[in-house]
Amino acid sequence: MFGDIMGMMGKLKETQQKVEETKKRLDTVLLEEKSNDDLLKVTITANRAVKSISIDEALLEDKEQLEDYLILTLNKAIEQATKVNEAELAAVAKDGMPNIPGMDSLFK
């Protein structure tokens, strides 16, 4: 019994390390989101850190329009990054979880 517990604890520690490595790797995964007319472009990491924003000159003339573009495009970028982040971390967690009865349904 203790061997099983120690094995599970080792597996959990290994999984935790893999999750941390995945989080670091996701800092290097860049995603680009654009407005529908390509006047605004946002680059974000899979960990949801904004890396760059490119604004077309035409948007600089209307503050409200620029604000709307920023909100919409940033929200789309964050949503995309969140999906990538969650999928990657769930895959690592599912792969590394010990076989505990009833726990497999948490990662489906």
Side-chain angles (χ1 to χ4, degrees), residues 26 29-35 41-49 72-88:
L26 290 174
V29 175
L30 298 178
L31 306 165
E32 184 177 271
E33 189 64 52
K34 302 176 197 176
S35 61
K41 296 176 187 170
V42 173
T43 303
I44 189 170
T45 70
N47 279 330
R48 298 172 294 272
L72 290 170
T73 307
L74 284 167
N75 281 334
K76 287 192 317 188
I78 291 167
E79 183 179 333
Q80 181 184 8
T82 298
K83 286 178 183 176
V84 170
N85 183 288
E86 289 175 353
E88 290 287 326

Side-chain angles (χ1 to χ4, degrees), residues 1-53:
M1 179 174 173
F2 285 115
D4 289 344
I5 292 173
M6 294 305 290
M8 283 193 309
M9 295 300 285
K11 184 96 168 155
L12 287 172
K13 188 171 183 116
E14 181 181 318
T15 300
Q16 184 178 14
Q17 183 177 2
K18 286 181 180 178
V19 166
E20 292 305 316
E21 290 169 0
T22 300
K23 285 180 182 179
K24 286 180 186 175
R25 184 179 58 77
L26 290 174
D27 277 333
T28 66
V29 175
L30 298 178
L31 306 165
E32 184 177 271
E33 189 64 52
K34 302 176 197 176
S35 61
N36 291 337
D37 54 9
D38 290 341
L39 294 179
L40 182 77
K41 296 176 187 170
V42 173
T43 303
I44 189 170
T45 70
N47 279 330
R48 298 172 294 272
V50 176
K51 289 298 188 179
S52 70
I53 298 176

Side-chain angles (χ1 to χ4, degrees), residues 87-106:
E88 290 287 326
L89 292 177
V92 171
K94 182 179 179 182
D95 185 47
M97 287 298 291
N99 189 13
I100 301 172
M103 294 292 284
D104 58 339
S105 64
L106 292 176

